[in-house]
């Protein structure tokens, strides 16, 4: 009975395709496909994986229709969409097969510009939109072309530039139009949507409307385009959109806001609601915070923390496309955050300091990504979190660089795809590779070519950017190759970007050979190009760091490391930068890790000291044995603190604490440290007042300001575990 059933299912009757889509029967759906173009993965697998951000979570449907001129029939697998994920799956019916039309196929057309009028109606829960679009032919084309939107938007009419109606057809969120006879053509598209995907994508409610994470606009092949925008919303609402504000005024019972978005981007965000707001001007830029439930103190803190982050990226890379930046706290967005380039949207609360979303203005905004090929821009944003904290001009730069190296964590799914070819269609693994592996790869690349060269490469990429297309890892490789012609850039990209996996290796036969340390590196599995760091430690504790480039494809590499002294200890990858399996034995003492396991005693006389620490782990009485105790207090009221402070180099007098010549005010900052006791025992100490829990990275000792921002500290390279040798 199986063969007749399969034969019946192959007849492409839409009802049967719809049934298989509902059942997520990817095996039988895949058998219906016509041969795929070279390098194109089976699109039907998305029905199973649901895409990177779980597009498809609400289930898939199959819809059928034809082009306006009745040239071709199509079947569209549709589902409620969230942005930066897969879109609808579009198939042309060819005989008894389904010919896949990838979303990257523009059919020879591109959108040059949008001019939007948007009316947000909370009573009807609707968005009524008029979009005046300019399209341009870019190459060979069919008798028709298409654009895509979220499927809950229904097109009411399409007119040409002269106001004449254009025949169109719509299947789900896919809209087909006849190809125009002119190179450039204007269209007016009127459509209405009732987005109702709260905490997932767009939604419109009584107090807030969010078209963020929603394809509320026509897209062709996810090509970037600029736009102008007029939005109407209830009079009591504040409207937040991308780009530069042009005007805001009240007309009757409506607020009308106009924006100009001259930066061509792929993903558009728009929100409006009963937001409280606060703004601040710093060095010619307007910084704003909006939110339904934010308090004045929270907004004020954000406006203190936000400008230095924006200033850092603008100064470091020389490009910033807007005269403003804002942070929007939304009750309907969902969880996490989403970049909008001139602002960012956060579900729930707003983090105190966020380099990730701010950096997306450059990586995703100035440089566009479709998310259909790779998540390269998420890799840059993840890398930027550590890069900002290492390089920002605040406190000691050298001590920051040691504290905020990101320790790679190996995920077995890094073996599934290369980061250059893991778009949203591969499912959750795209996020693992984009947010995880890609950031670690960039950290290694920074080490390979040097921080200055890395910065020049990024700056050049931003300044030479294309404005009419998205970019990929290969575009960045081209720039780095030009900036670092004497580094093994091609080999590095071949190994880490264009191949899957991570490195596993051993070091053997470590010995002195004349004035050099000699050793053999043996790859276990594939070989990789490495910026291999080595630390040499003399018997009196002097440290020397050397980087040895490892390139090529040998299974064994003979290493020769110049040694200015005869070391008693040799450590390979001392700062744990390489993307490899890293043993817990390799981790030196780090405050954030060790203190999190300790019981906390807080001096009653200093109740406001570091109050963010130790919730649920507090001791009522200070024990006589301080092993595994985190003691928060002041030497004046907790005598045990005095000797502990002296042991780590803290000099405390009243509200002042001094460490190696740096003095902080304990009413507006603080300090913590891991203290070594006898026989391998440890405790932790903390002093001072902060508004939030400090971000300390790998430091075992740190000074920080009232916002928990790192100023000074002590971080240690590894001296134990694998890849560590005593001579």
């Amino acid at each position: 009975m199986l063969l007749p059933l399969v034969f019946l299912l192959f007849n492409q009757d839409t009802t049967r395709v719809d049934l298989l889509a509902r059942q997520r029967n990817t095996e039988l759906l895949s058998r219906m496909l016509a041969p795929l173009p070279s390098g194109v993965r089976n699109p039907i697998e998305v029905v199973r994986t649901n895409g990177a951000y779980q597009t498809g979570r609400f289930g898939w449907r199959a819809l059928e229709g034809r082009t306006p001129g009745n040239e071709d029939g199509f079947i569209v697998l549709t589902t409620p969409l969230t942005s930066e994920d897969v879109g609808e799956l579009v198939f042309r019916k060819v005989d008894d097969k389904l010919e896949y039309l990838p979303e990257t196929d523009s059919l020879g057309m591109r959108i040059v510009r949008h001019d939007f009028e948007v009316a947000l109606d909370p009573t009807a829960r609707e968005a009524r939109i008029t979009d005046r679009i300019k399209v341009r032919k870019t190459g060979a084309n069919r008798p028709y072309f298409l654009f895509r939107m979220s499927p809950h938007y229904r097109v009411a009419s399409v007119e040409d530039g002269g106001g004449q109606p254009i025949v169109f057809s719509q299947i789900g969120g896919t809209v087909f139009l006849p190809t125009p006879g002119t190179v450039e053509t204007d269209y007016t598209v009127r459509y209405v949507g009732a987005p109702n995907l709260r905490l997932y994508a767009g939604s419109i409610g009584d107090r807030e409307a969010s078209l963020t994470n929603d394809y509320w606009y026509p897209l062709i092949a996810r090509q970037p385009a600029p736009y102008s925008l007029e939005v109407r919303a209830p009079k009591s609402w504040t409207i937040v959109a991308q780009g530069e504000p042009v005007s805001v005024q009240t007309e009757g019972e409506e607020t009308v806001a106009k924006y100009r978005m001259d930066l061509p981007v792929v993903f558009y965000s728009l929100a409006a609601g009963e937001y409280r707001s606060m703004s601040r001007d710093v060095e010619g830029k307007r910084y704003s915070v909006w939110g339904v439930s934010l308090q004045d103190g929270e907004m004020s803190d954000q406006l203190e923390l936000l400008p230095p982050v924006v200033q850092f990226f603008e100064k470091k890379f020389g490009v910033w496309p807007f005269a403003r930046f804002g942070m929007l706290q939304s009750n309907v967005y969902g969880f996490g955050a989403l970049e909008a380039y001139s602002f960012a949207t956060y579900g729930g609360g707003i983090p105190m300091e966020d380099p990730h979303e701010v950096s997306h203005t450059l990586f995703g905004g100035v440089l566009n990504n479709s998310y259909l090929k790779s998540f390269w821009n998420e890799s840059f944003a993840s890398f930027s979190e550590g890069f900002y904290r290492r390089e920002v001009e605040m406190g000691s730069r050298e001590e920051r660089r040691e504290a905020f190296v990101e320790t790679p964590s190996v995920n077995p799914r890094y073996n599934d795809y290369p980061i250059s070819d893991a778009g949203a269609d591969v499912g959750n693994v795209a996020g693992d590779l984009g947010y995880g592996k890609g950031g670690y790869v960039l950290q290694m690349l920074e080490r390979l070519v040097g921080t200055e060269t890395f910065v020049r490469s990024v700056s050049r990429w931003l300044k030479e950017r294309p404005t009419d297309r998205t970019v990929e890892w290969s575009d960045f490789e081209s720039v780095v190759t030009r900036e670092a012609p004497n580094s093994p850039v091609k080999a590095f990209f071949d190994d880490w970007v264009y191949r899957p996996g991570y490195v596993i290796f051993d070091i053997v036969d470590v010995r002195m050979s004349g004035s050099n340390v000699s050793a053999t590196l043996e790859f276990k599995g594939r070989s990789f190009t490495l910026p291999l760091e080595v630390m040499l430690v003399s018997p009196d504790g002097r440290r020397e760091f050397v980087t040895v480039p490892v390139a090529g494809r040998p299974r064994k590499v003979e290493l020769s490391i110049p040694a200015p002294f005869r070391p008693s200890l040799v450590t390979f990858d001392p700062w744990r930068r390489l993307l490899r399996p890293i043993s817990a034995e390799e981790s030196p003492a780090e405050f954030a890790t060790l203190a999190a396991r300790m019981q906390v005693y807080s001096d009653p006389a200093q109740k406001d000291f570091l109050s963010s620490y130790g919730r649920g782990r507090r001791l009522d009485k200070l024990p006589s044995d301080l092993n595994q105790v985190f003691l928060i207090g002041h030497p004046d009221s907790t005598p045990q603190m005095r000797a502990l402070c002296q042991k780590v180099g803290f000099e405390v007098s009243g509200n002042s604490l001094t460490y190696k010549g740096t003095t902080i005010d304990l009413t507006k900052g603080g300090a913590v440290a891991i203290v070594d006791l006898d026989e391998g025992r440890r405790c932790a100490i903390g002093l001072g007042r902060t508004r939030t829990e400090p971000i300390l990275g790998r430091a075992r000792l740190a000074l920080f300001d009232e916002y928990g921002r790192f100023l000074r500290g002590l971080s240690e390279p590894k001296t134990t575990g694998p890849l560590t040798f005593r001579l």
Side-chain angles (χ1 to χ4, degrees):
M1 296 297 292
L2 177 61
L3 287 177
L5 174 62
V6 171
F7 177 79
L8 287 172
L9 291 174
F10 261 60
N11 68 12
Q12 288 194 29
D13 178 83
T14 307
T15 302
R16 297 188 181 278
V17 178
D18 183 53
L19 176 62
L20 294 179
R22 289 170 180 263
Q23 294 173 342
R24 301 180 187 267
N25 191 327
T26 56
E27 180 181 355
L28 292 183
L29 285 171
S30 297
R31 294 185 191 179
M32 298 179 178
L33 292 178
L36 294 165
S38 177
V40 175
R41 283 188 287 265
N42 180 359
I44 298 297
E45 282 300 302
V46 171
V47 175
R48 178 180 58 83
T49 67
N50 281 342
Y53 299 109
Q54 291 301 289
T55 280
R57 69 170 69 176
F58 298 109
W60 295 85
R61 297 288 311 277
L63 302 175
E64 185 176 15
R66 301 194 67 83
T67 55
N70 207 34
E71 300 93 349
D72 287 317
F74 281 86
I75 287 180
V76 173
L77 296 188
T78 186
T79 185
L81 298 177
T82 186
S83 67
E84 298 183 348
D85 207 329
V86 293
E88 294 180 315
L89 306 179
V90 178
F91 302 92
R92 187 168 72 100
K93 298 176 71 173
V94 181
D95 299 326
D96 63 343
K97 293 292 185 181
L98 296 176
E99 180 185 78
Y100 177 51
L101 184 64
E103 192 169 352
T104 53
D105 190 343
S106 70
L107 299 181
M109 301 292 288
R110 68 169 287 106
I111 294 175
V112 177
R113 187 174 182 86
H114 302 269
D115 183 3
F116 295 107
E117 294 176 5
V118 179
L120 300 172
D121 185 343
T123 302
R125 301 291 199 268
E126 283 184 347
R128 296 184 291 275
I129 303 175
T130 298
D131 185 8
R132 294 173 177 84
I133 308 172
K134 182 180 291 293
V135 299
R136 178 182 298 153
K137 286 185 180 179
T138 59
N141 52 64
R142 293 177 177 172
Y144 52 84
F145 71 100
L146 62 86
F147 64 76
R148 302 164 185 249
M149 297 186 295
S150 287
H152 48 243
Y153 292 97
R154 309 306 300 171
V155 175
S157 66
V158 180
E159 298 174 353
D160 65 16
Q164 296 300 307
I166 300 294
V167 177
F168 67 93
S169 60
Q170 180 170 1
I171 312 172
T174 303
V175 179
F176 293 85
L177 295 169
T179 299
T182 56
V183 174
E184 284 197 348
T185 307
D186 294 329
Y187 294 98
T188 298
V189 183
R190 294 181 175 87
Y191 53 101
V192 178
N196 186 27
L197 298 172
R198 188 177 184 273
L199 304 182
Y200 170 72
S203 67
I204 300 176
D206 294 331
R207 299 187 62 197
E208 185 177 5
S210 175
L211 302 189
T212 296
N213 253 11
D214 183 38
Y215 292 122
W216 55 272
Y217 50 96
L219 268 172
I220 296 178
R222 300 203 188 180
Q223 300 170 106
Y227 63 85
S228 62
L229 173 67
E230 177 184 283
V231 185
R232 294 177 178 271
K235 183 169 64 174
S236 62
W237 286 19
T238 298
I239 297 166
V240 182
Q242 291 167 308
E244 306 293 356
V246 175
S247 64
V248 180
Q249 59 189 35
T250 300
E251 294 183 6
E253 294 302 311
E254 292 182 320
T255 293
V256 182
K258 295 182 179 181
Y259 282 82
R260 188 186 73 252
M261 180 62 170
D262 293 334
L263 180 70
V265 296
V266 176
F267 302 104
Y268 301 172
S269 290
L270 169 62
E274 296 178 351
Y275 302 135
R276 303 182 73 251
S277 65
M278 187 178 292
S279 296
R280 177 185 177 194
D281 293 332
V282 180
E283 295 184 6
K285 283 189 174 56
R286 167 61 58 96
Y287 297 92
S288 301
V289 182
W290 308 273
V292 174
S293 55
L294 292 178
Q295 302 302 309
D296 287 351
E298 296 174 286
M299 291 190 287
S300 178
D301 286 346
Q302 293 298 336
L303 294 176
E304 183 70 29
L305 291 165
L306 181 56
V309 183
V310 173
Q311 291 165 355
F312 170 82
F313 287 108
E314 181 174 27
K315 181 177 180 180
K316 185 63 68 174
F317 298 125
V319 174
W320 192 263
F322 302 107
R324 68 182 189 116
F325 193 86
M327 308 177 87
L328 170 66
Q329 177 264 322
S330 169
N331 286 355
V332 301
Y333 167 71
F335 303 98
L338 184 71
E339 66 276 9
Y341 318 122
S342 59
F343 72 99
T345 303
Y346 299 83
I350 298 178
M352 291 298 287
E353 192 178 41
D354 185 16
H356 185 108
E357 301 304 335
V358 172
S359 74
H360 267 309
T361 297
L362 306 179
F363 310 120
V366 175
L367 292 159
N368 281 275
N369 186 11
S370 70
Y371 284 76
L372 297 176
K373 179 68 173 175
S374 77
F375 280 24
W376 70 262
N377 64 318
E378 297 297 352
S379 299
F380 273 81
S382 294
F383 165 81
S384 292
E385 296 174 36
F387 185 70
Y388 167 77
R389 294 192 168 97
R390 288 194 297 275
E391 298 298 317
V392 67
E393 295 180 2
M394 184 183 302
S396 168
R397 176 80 62 84
E398 291 306 313
E399 290 168 5
R400 280 182 165 276
R401 286 176 169 172
E402 295 175 351
F404 292 106
V405 173
E406 299 289 325
T407 304
S409 59
V410 164
N411 184 327
R413 296 208 285 185
Y414 292 172
N415 289 311
D416 292 352
Y417 300 92
I419 59 175
S420 63
D421 191 23
D425 66 297
V426 303
N428 290 337
V429 68
D432 295 331
L433 293 165
Y435 292 91
K437 178 181 175 179
Y440 303 140
V441 168
L442 287 170
Q443 183 175 245
M444 291 190 295
L445 178 62
E446 179 198 358
R447 187 64 188 175
L448 180 75
V449 301
T451 298
E452 291 185 5
T453 300
F454 184 90
V455 169
R456 286 200 312 271
S457 299
V458 174
S459 299
R460 183 171 184 171
W461 195 26
L462 289 163
K463 291 169 185 174
E464 296 178 355
R465 69 192 184 278
T467 59
D468 59 348
R469 65 174 179 88
T470 57
V471 298
E472 291 294 340
W473 281 102
S474 57
D475 295 280
F476 185 54
E477 178 195 4
S478 175
V479 176
V480 181
T481 300
R482 284 179 282 160
E483 288 292 335
N486 298 320
S487 296
V489 174
K490 183 181 186 305
F492 182 89
F493 273 77
D494 286 346
D495 291 345
W496 289 103
V497 176
Y498 305 130
R499 290 196 309 171
Y502 48 86
V503 68
I504 303 175
F505 65 89
D506 284 340
I507 300 288
V508 298
D509 195 20
V510 180
R511 64 198 184 281
M512 287 299 300
S513 179
S515 60
N516 292 344
V517 172
S518 296
T520 301
L521 184 152
E522 296 180 349
F523 288 105
K524 306 299 181 181
R526 288 174 297 184
S527 58
F528 284 80
T529 299
L530 303 175
L532 180 63
E533 296 174 88
V534 185
M535 180 179 72
L536 311 175
V537 183
S538 69
D540 62 359
R542 177 184 168 192
R543 294 172 176 173
E544 185 77 16
F545 293 93
V546 180
T547 297
V548 181
V550 176
R553 290 285 187 271
R555 304 290 299 179
K556 292 185 179 182
V557 179
E558 298 301 325
L559 304 175
S560 183
I561 304 149
F565 49 75
R566 185 177 183 86
S568 59
L569 182 142
V570 180
T571 295
F572 295 85
D573 192 23
W575 295 108
R576 294 167 293 150
R577 259 186 266 254
L578 297 180
L579 180 52
R580 61 179 178 84
I582 296 176
S583 166
E585 300 173 65
E586 299 180 60
S587 299
E590 299 177 5
F591 181 87
T593 301
L594 296 178
R597 304 170 186 162
M598 297 180 179
Q599 294 292 302
V600 177
Y601 175 77
S602 186
D603 181 354
Q606 307 291 344
K607 291 182 179 180
D608 55 352
F609 267 24
L610 302 183
S611 57
S612 61
Y613 280 112
R615 296 185 179 97
R617 296 181 289 116
R618 292 193 176 272
L619 297 168
D620 295 329
K621 182 179 179 181
L622 182 63
S624 57
D625 183 357
L626 295 181
N627 186 42
Q628 297 303 305
V629 173
F630 179 12
L631 172 56
I632 300 173
H634 190 284
D636 290 350
S637 52
T638 307
Q640 295 91 330
M641 285 286 289
R642 189 166 301 281
L644 297 173
C645 286
Q646 291 174 349
K647 192 166 188 176
V648 297
F650 291 167
E651 299 176 13
V652 183
S653 177
N655 287 325
S656 294
L657 182 148
T658 301
Y659 171 76
K660 292 187 176 180
T662 298
T663 299
I664 60 170
D665 183 345
L666 292 176
T667 68
K668 298 179 180 179
V672 295
I674 295 295
V675 185
D676 292 323
L677 304 174
D678 56 358
E679 299 178 351
R681 298 154 69 249
R682 287 180 173 136
C683 71
I685 58 172
L687 309 87
R689 299 176 179 88
T690 61
R691 297 169 182 262
T692 186
E693 188 168 319
I695 298 176
L696 307 177
R698 295 174 163 190
R700 65 170 292 155
L701 175 153
L703 276 62
F704 38 86
D705 69 8
E706 62 182 317
Y707 295 100
R709 294 178 293 190
F710 184 98
L711 300 174
R712 294 289 310 270
L714 173 64
S715 307
E716 297 177 332
K718 74 184 187 77
T719 56
T720 59
L723 306 184
T724 301
F725 303 88
R726 298 193 179 275
L727 300 184

